[in-house]
């Protein structure tokens, strides 16, 4: 157990973690400003912002010996007996000096800069810098340039922290970005014809503490202080990256990664980053439809739901078989309510897993402690990042629900074969897939064989166009619920947008069909029910999902059936706090300088 | 706070004199003030009102009327679409859509400009926070006070209309801070000039 002294107070650090002074101080509630340090990247200590006074306490005599010069906090190991001082006049004068130095050539672009509002220079300048600019020489002016089709570099805003350079070298091992020239002429650049086009390229924009690297997709569209952030889960692939879905005026504007050491570490892939656009797609279903005299007509929500219920009950009353298709884009809660509804209609109802979109194989970025690293890696804990080929968020979660109700997981292909044999008089397809999941072929194969077809989706797919009832469901951004990722980790996603006009979140649709009573249904309550009913989800007792998610229990069926990589883990809630750079969050205290 | 709270200060109404209590002398004193003003209007030139619309009222220089969007020397809109005015606006009446400036010769030195700039003049409370927030002195409130329209839609001013208000008022009311110096070739010149 290490005891360190910060600004005269003694603190005890948790066992087993190798922390530097910045991390240790943060645990103790003391902020040390920094730019170039990032927990996933090697330490280069080139911004000099985190320099502090460091000393050591002699265990025998209790005498404190300080290092005569200031020492970078990012490089200081917080071991037993270390004494650090972050608020002395010497440190404060140094921080003021570094801020003035970093801002020497920095243009006063804040009104047109997208980083304004979440900018390290703005925040630290306010807290540690000065209001005046004494530099009277000519400022270096660099034209803006593109380092890829998606990323713009405004070099004159750069502070040469080299986070982006280290990212492409150490994490993706592609090494597109470099520091060109030296000293005052140093700039970040790519070689001609070698743009930053790796699948994780967008992360360099998130890493940039200033407005030098900018996402051209977001460029000049919104000011960041207008955006409300919602803790969401990316549904682009089975990894289930933690993202912050940022909304303003009823539209999503961007995804930003949220740190989760067990899933996505600090990153998201570019494909996932771009998937926010699907929530703003103007072609999303804007109404429910009921087929009248052969043509689908838009109807109100209650009429569509009533038509669904009437149609399904007719089929059951006439002794026809009912089948339900639960897409791997449904949340666990939705899958559970849908399965319960269909089983309550007819205990013989067949439930199957919807089509699982697969595109290519898994792509893993596995940084280690040596490859591409140039600085000090003793504080780095390298974690792999995988982009899955399975392009849906919740195959395992829906499969667990299906296995509970059905005893087995019936795949889409085998259900389709049974549909084509004419086994079912009614089919209820709930999709909500990110990309339209059913094409003309599927529609042609299903429609003639099924008497009553209900399609619940967000897209007007060919299958929806021939359905008897179309229920407009919710996109990933409009629904709250939990997903189980490819590592069997259950994670909760908040809704970021209200339901579109004419649609209703799937959970509410199922709740109305189940006649659960008045008032909107809460996903947490349903999750609590799921946790009671299905042993695999017992870890989410009471509907509580820890911030980093929780690994659900393994059932013996899973490995044999779906062929997924079932990595069963202990069902315990992990501790630890979510890392985020201080400038990306709101400062708690705008008055004090000592404790931020 | 109850009636016995120690912070409460008890006030007693002033005692009325006999004249106050008789009421009539005070009425006459009031009428005398009215008569003095009437005499001033008829025989002197002390009228506060004007015969609008034959006579035009000229408001004080810090009057806050209709907004205008200023133009720079090249005739471009000065606004850089930073949206600080719509952030500062307590009535949420400013809607700006910013976009990247085109890479033409005219716009080469500009990075961002407003593709659309709309002010709902009916919602505006004319507090002047927008011009205070503006870092480039692009939005200003003019002395135009006769703001009329036949429909709500007419009172929603877009960029074109706000720029035309500038053309209308620029001679009578020059920009309050002039135009900022175009990018100095050397900041030392600036310092020398100021000395």
């Amino acid at each position: 157990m290490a005891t360190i002294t910060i600004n005269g107070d003694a603190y005890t650090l948790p066992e087993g973690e190798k922390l530097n002074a910045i991390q240790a101080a943060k645990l103790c509630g003391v902020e040390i400003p920094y730019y170039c340090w990032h927990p996933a990247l090697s330490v280069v200590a080139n911004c000099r912002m985190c320099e502090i006074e460091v000393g050591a306490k002699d265990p025998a005599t209790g005498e404190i010996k300080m290092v005569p010069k200031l020492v970078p906090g990012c490089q200081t190991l917080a071991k037993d007996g270390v004494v650090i001082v972050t608020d002395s006049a010497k440190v404060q004068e140094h921080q003021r000096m570094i801020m003035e130095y970093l801002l020497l050539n920095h243009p006063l672009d804040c009104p047109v800069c997208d980083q304004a509002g979440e900018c390290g220079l703005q925040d630290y300048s306010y807290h540690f810098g000065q209001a005046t600019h004494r530099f009277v020489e000519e400022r270096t002016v660099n034209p803006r340039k593109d380092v890829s089709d998606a990323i713009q570099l405004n070099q004159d805003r750069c502070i040469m922290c080299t986070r982006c350079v280290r990212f492409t070298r150490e994490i993706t091992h592609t090494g597109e970005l470099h520091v060109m020239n030296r000293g005052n002429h140093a700039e970040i650049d790519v070689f001609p014809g070698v743009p930053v086009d790796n699948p994780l390229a967008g992360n360099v924009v998130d890493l940039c503490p200033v407005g030098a690297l900018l996402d051209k997709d977001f460029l000049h569209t919104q000011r960041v202080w207008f955006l409300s952030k919602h803790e969401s889960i990316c549904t682009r692939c089975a990894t289930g990256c933690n993202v912050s879905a940022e909304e303003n005026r009823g539209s999503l504007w961007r995804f930003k990664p949220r740190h989760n050491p067990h899933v996505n570490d600090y990153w998201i892939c570019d494909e996932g980053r771009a998937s926010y656009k699907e929530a703003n797609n103007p072609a999303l279903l804007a109404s429910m439809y009921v087929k009248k005299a052969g043509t689908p007509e838009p109807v109100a929500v209650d009429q569509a739901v009533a038509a669904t219920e009437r149609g399904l009950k007719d089929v059951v009353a006439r002794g026809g078989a009912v089948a339900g298709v639960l897409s791997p884009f449904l949340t666990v809660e939705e899958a559970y309510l849908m399965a319960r509804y269909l089983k309550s209609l007819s205990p013989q109802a067949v439930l199957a897993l919807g089509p699982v979109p697969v595109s290519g194989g898994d792509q893993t970025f596995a940084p280690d402690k040596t490859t591409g690293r140039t600085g000090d890696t003793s504080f780095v804990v390298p974690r792999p990042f995988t982009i899955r080929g399975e392009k849906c968020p919740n195959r395992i979660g829906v499969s667990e629900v299906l296995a509970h109700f059905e005893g087995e997981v019936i795949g889409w292909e085998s259900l389709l074969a049974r549909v084509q044999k004419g086994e079912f008089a009614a089919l209820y397809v709930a999709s909500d897939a990110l990309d339209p999941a059913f094409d003309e072929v599927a529609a042609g194969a299903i429609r003639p064989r099924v008497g009553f077809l209900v399609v619940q989706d967000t897209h007007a797919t060919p299958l929806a166009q021939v359905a008897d009832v179309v229920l407009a469901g919710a996109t990933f951004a409009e629904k709250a619920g939990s997903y189980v990722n490819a590592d069997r980790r259950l994670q909760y996603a908040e809704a970021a947008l209200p339901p579109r006009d004419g649609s209703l979140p799937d959970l509410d649709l199922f709740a109305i069909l189940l006649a659960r009573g008045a008032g909107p249904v809460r996903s947490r309550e349903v999750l609590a029910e799921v946790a009671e009913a299905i042993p695999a989800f017992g870890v989410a007792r009471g509907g509580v999902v820890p911030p980093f998610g929780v690994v659900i229990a393994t059932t013996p069926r899973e490995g044999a059936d779906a062929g997924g990589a079932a990595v069963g883990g202990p069902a315990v809630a992990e501790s630890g706090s979510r890392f985020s750079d201080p400038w990306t969050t709101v400062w708690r205290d705008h008055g004090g300088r000592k404790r931020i | 706070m109850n009636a016995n709270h120690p912070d409460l200060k008890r006030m007693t109404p002033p005692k009325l004199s006999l004249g106050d209590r008789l009421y009539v002398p005070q009425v006459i004193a009031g009428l005398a003030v009215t008569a003095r003003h009437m005499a001033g209007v008829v025989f002197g030139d002390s009228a506060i009102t004007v015969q609008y619309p034959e006579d035009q009222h000229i408001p004080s220089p810090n009057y806050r009327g209709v907004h205008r969007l200023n133009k720079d020397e090249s005739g471009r809109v000065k606004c850089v679409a930073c949206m600080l005015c719509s952030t500062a606006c307590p009535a949420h009446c400013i809607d700006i859509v910013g976009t990247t400036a085109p890479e033409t010769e005219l716009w080469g030195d500009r990075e961002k400009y407003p593709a659309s700039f709309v002010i709902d003049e009916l919602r505006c409370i004319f507090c002047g926070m927008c011009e205070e927030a503006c870092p480039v002195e692009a939005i200003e409130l003019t002395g135009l006070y006769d703001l009329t329209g036949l429909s709500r839609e007419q009172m929603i001013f877009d960029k074109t209309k706000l720029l035309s208000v500038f053309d209308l008022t620029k001679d009578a009311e020059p920009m309050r801070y002039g135009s900022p110096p175009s990018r100095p070739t050397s900041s030392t010149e600036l310092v020398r000039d100021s000395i």
Side-chain angles (χ1 to χ4, degrees):
Chain A
M1 197 158 58
T3 305
I4 63 166
T5 310
I6 304 174
N7 300 339
D9 300 329
Y11 297 92
T12 305
L13 294 179
E15 199 70 43
E17 273 183 281
K18 196 174 182 188
L19 303 174
N20 65 17
I22 297 175
Q23 292 168 307
K26 193 177 179 198
L27 276 182
C28 308
V30 178
E31 185 102 23
I32 299 175
Y34 62 86
Y35 288 115
C36 71
W37 173 73
H38 187 281
L41 304 174
S42 61
V43 170
V44 289
N46 64 6
C47 76
R48 315 310 283 181
M49 193 65 202
C50 66
E51 294 207 339
I52 46 172
E53 287 188 76
V54 175
K57 195 185 233 173
D58 193 314
T61 61
E63 188 193 358
I64 296 171
K65 279 189 182 149
M66 300 301 285
V67 179
K69 289 170 116 180
L70 294 178
V71 176
C74 59
Q75 230 167 5
T76 303
L77 176 62
K79 60 184 180 201
D80 197 33
V82 163
V83 177
I84 63 178
V85 179
T86 68
D87 61 352
S88 66
K90 193 175 172 187
V91 173
Q92 289 186 358
E93 173 58 17
H94 176 81
Q95 288 167 345
R96 193 197 56 73
M97 194 180 76
I98 292 293
M99 279 316 299
E100 187 176 23
Y101 172 68
L102 288 176
L103 290 170
L104 276 188
N105 282 310
H106 194 80
L108 201 52
D109 264 355
C110 302
V112 293
C113 177
D114 273 351
Q115 191 84 3
E118 52 177 16
C119 175
L121 284 174
Q122 283 185 330
D123 282 6
Y124 287 165
S125 184
Y126 183 75
H127 283 271
F128 308 107
Q130 57 189 26
T132 52
H133 190 80
R134 294 185 293 162
F135 186 64
V136 292
E137 306 302 327
E138 204 173 324
R139 290 188 194 198
T140 311
V141 176
N142 280 296
R144 51 184 190 265
K145 57 195 171 194
D146 291 344
V147 292
S148 83
D149 290 339
I151 301 165
Q152 174 180 307
L153 172 61
N154 288 42
Q155 182 55 44
D156 43 10
R157 296 179 190 160
C158 176
I159 58 166
M160 299 308 288
C161 71
T162 68
R163 271 179 163 204
C164 53
V165 175
R166 279 177 284 149
F167 176 81
T168 59
R169 285 181 186 171
E170 300 176 3
I171 307 296
T172 63
H173 299 155
T174 47
E176 297 100 339
L177 288 166
H178 304 273
V179 180
M180 308 283 186
N181 303 329
R182 300 177 70 178
N184 194 34
H185 303 289
E187 56 183 280
I188 305 291
D189 209 345
V190 291
F191 287 120
V194 193
V196 193
D197 66 350
N198 65 68
L200 300 185
N203 290 297
V204 297
V205 177
D206 304 332
L207 281 172
C208 186
V210 301
L213 287 163
L214 296 169
D215 191 342
K216 286 169 100 174
D217 178 53
F218 184 71
L219 192 68
H220 299 157
T221 54
Q222 286 287 308
R223 304 318 308 261
V224 295
W225 55 84
F226 290 145
L227 300 173
S228 47
K229 303 183 177 194
H230 302 271
E231 299 192 348
S232 186
I233 301 292
C234 177
T235 57
R236 185 73 270 185
C237 81
T239 299
C241 293
N242 294 207
V243 294
S244 149
E246 311 203 346
E247 172 268 342
N248 183 29
R249 297 196 175 190
S251 298
L252 283 192
W253 293 93
R254 64 177 184 183
F255 271 172
K256 281 273 181 184
R258 285 186 300 138
H259 170 223
N260 186 335
H262 311 289
V263 180
N264 55 320
D265 218 5
Y266 308 90
W267 328 117
I268 53 174
C269 71
D270 287 3
E271 211 184 329
R273 191 182 294 270
S275 69
Y276 82 89
K277 293 175 187 164
E278 200 45 51
N280 305 336
N281 188 345
L284 292 174
L285 273 176
S287 173
M288 313 237 175
Y289 294 87
V290 171
K291 196 178 258 180
K292 287 175 188 162
T295 49
E297 284 182 21
V299 293
V301 173
D302 54 338
Q303 289 172 315
V305 175
T308 307
E309 195 166 17
R310 205 168 43 238
L312 290 174
K313 280 191 173 155
D314 278 356
V315 168
V316 174
R318 279 187 273 113
V322 176
V325 176
L326 285 71
S327 120
F329 286 86
L330 295 184
T331 65
V332 170
E333 295 88 337
E334 289 162 1
Y336 175 73
L337 284 196
M338 177 172 178
R340 261 191 48 197
Y341 171 63
L342 291 178
K343 285 291 183 188
S344 71
L345 274 181
S346 145
Q348 287 80 41
V350 174
L351 303 176
L353 185 67
V356 177
V358 175
S359 157
D362 293 357
Q363 189 180 9
T364 301
F365 294 87
D368 55 40
K369 282 208 166 211
T370 50
T371 315
R373 307 265 186 188
T374 43
D376 178 3
T377 57
S378 53
F379 303 104
V380 173
V381 183
R383 297 189 193 94
F385 178 89
T386 306
I387 305 168
R388 311 273 172 179
E390 186 182 298
K391 298 295 180 193
C392 59
N394 200 22
R395 177 184 59 78
I396 295 177
V398 173
S399 299
E400 286 293 341
V401 173
L402 290 174
H404 172 75
F405 282 96
E406 205 67 37
E408 57 171 335
V409 181
I410 301 167
W412 170 243
E413 296 301 328
S414 61
L415 184 91
L416 199 57
R418 286 169 70 176
V419 167
Q420 280 174 311
K421 277 189 237 151
E423 271 186 43
F424 303 109
L427 186 65
Y428 189 158
V429 181
S431 170
D432 288 352
L434 207 51
D435 304 316
F438 303 101
D439 54 9
E440 304 278 354
V441 181
I446 295 168
R447 180 67 264 197
R449 300 289 178 175
V450 175
F452 183 66
L453 177 63
V454 182
V455 174
Q456 181 171 324
D457 207 342
T458 53
H459 293 94
T461 60
L463 188 65
Q465 279 161 18
V466 297
D468 293 300
V469 180
V470 179
L471 300 172
T475 63
F476 65 90
E478 293 158 359
K479 57 170 125 185
S482 27
Y483 300 102
V484 180
N485 80 354
D487 292 331
R488 302 186 63 80
R489 183 169 289 273
L490 180 79
Q491 303 187 93
Y492 188 80
E494 288 174 4
L497 296 176
R500 308 184 303 284
D501 283 350
S503 81
L504 209 56
D506 304 53
L507 200 65
D508 294 82
L509 287 172
F510 297 132
I512 296 169
L513 287 169
L514 269 170
R516 275 174 67 96
V521 58
R522 305 187 72 86
S523 55
R524 300 269 190 192
E525 288 166 14
V526 180
L527 186 61
E529 284 175 40
V530 177
E532 291 294 322
I534 306 177
F537 293 103
V539 287
R541 187 154 294 116
V544 180
V545 181
F548 287 148
V550 59
V551 176
I552 63 166
T554 317
T555 49
R557 243 183 332 264
E558 172 64 28
D561 188 280
V567 187
V572 289
E574 285 89 355
S575 61
S577 60
R578 213 181 270 277
F579 170 83
S580 65
D581 286 318
W583 50 85
T584 60
T585 50
V586 178
W587 288 61
R588 289 187 296 280
D589 167 25
H590 282 270
R593 193 184 139 98
K594 185 181 163 193
R595 297 210 167 180
I596 299 152
Chain B
M1 190 178 270
N2 61 31
N4 298 321
H5 197 276
D7 287 353
L8 282 179
K9 199 174 169 187
R10 303 221 163 263
M11 311 277 285
T12 44
K15 268 221 166 342
L16 296 180
S17 66
L18 183 68
D20 293 339
R21 274 183 288 164
L22 281 177
Y23 184 70
V24 178
Q26 291 300 320
V27 173
I28 293 168
L31 285 173
V33 173
T34 311
R36 197 165 62 242
H37 279 288
M38 284 173 72
V41 171
V42 174
F43 303 110
D45 191 22
S46 69
I48 292 167
T49 53
V50 293
Q51 293 300 313
Y52 186 83
E54 288 80 15
D55 297 337
Q56 288 287 326
H57 166 65
I58 296 168
S60 78
N62 61 357
Y63 181 82
R64 299 193 294 262
V66 181
H67 312 75
R68 73 179 185 195
L69 270 182
N70 292 339
K71 292 180 184 172
D72 64 5
E73 303 82 5
S74 328
R76 306 172 299 184
V77 58
K78 275 176 97 178
C79 171
V80 296
C82 71
M83 306 192 201
L84 289 183
C85 52
S86 60
T87 305
C89 180
H92 303 296
C93 69
I94 307 179
D95 184 78
I96 303 167
V97 178
T99 191
T100 310
E103 288 186 18
T104 57
E105 197 163 327
L106 180 65
W107 289 90
D109 62 332
R110 292 274 298 272
E111 203 159 316
K112 190 181 177 186
Y113 80 110
S116 140
F117 193 113
V118 178
I119 299 182
D120 187 343
E121 299 282 347
L122 287 181
R123 195 183 269 200
C124 175
I125 60 168
F126 299 95
C127 63
M129 299 276 263
C130 48
E131 64 177 342
E132 211 162 312
C134 185
V136 292
E137 277 98 40
I139 188 168
E140 277 184 352
L141 299 181
T142 65
L144 292 184
Y145 51 83
D146 48 351
L147 179 64
T148 53
L150 295 173
S151 65
R152 288 180 184 276
E153 288 69 36
Q154 277 182 15
M155 302 298 281
I156 296 172
F157 283 21
D158 64 357
K159 194 169 87 174
T160 324
K161 188 140 188 187
L162 290 164
L163 287 169
S164 72
V165 177
F166 171 73
D167 293 331
L168 201 70
T169 55
K170 65 179 176 201
D171 299 325
E173 301 173 55
M175 271 186 260
R176 229 160 271 173
Y177 302 95
S179 45
S182 55
R183 198 170 200 136
T185 46
S186 155
S187 348
T188 40
E189 277 178 27
L190 265 186
V191 174
R192 220 181 300 122
D193 289 349
S194 64
I195 298 167

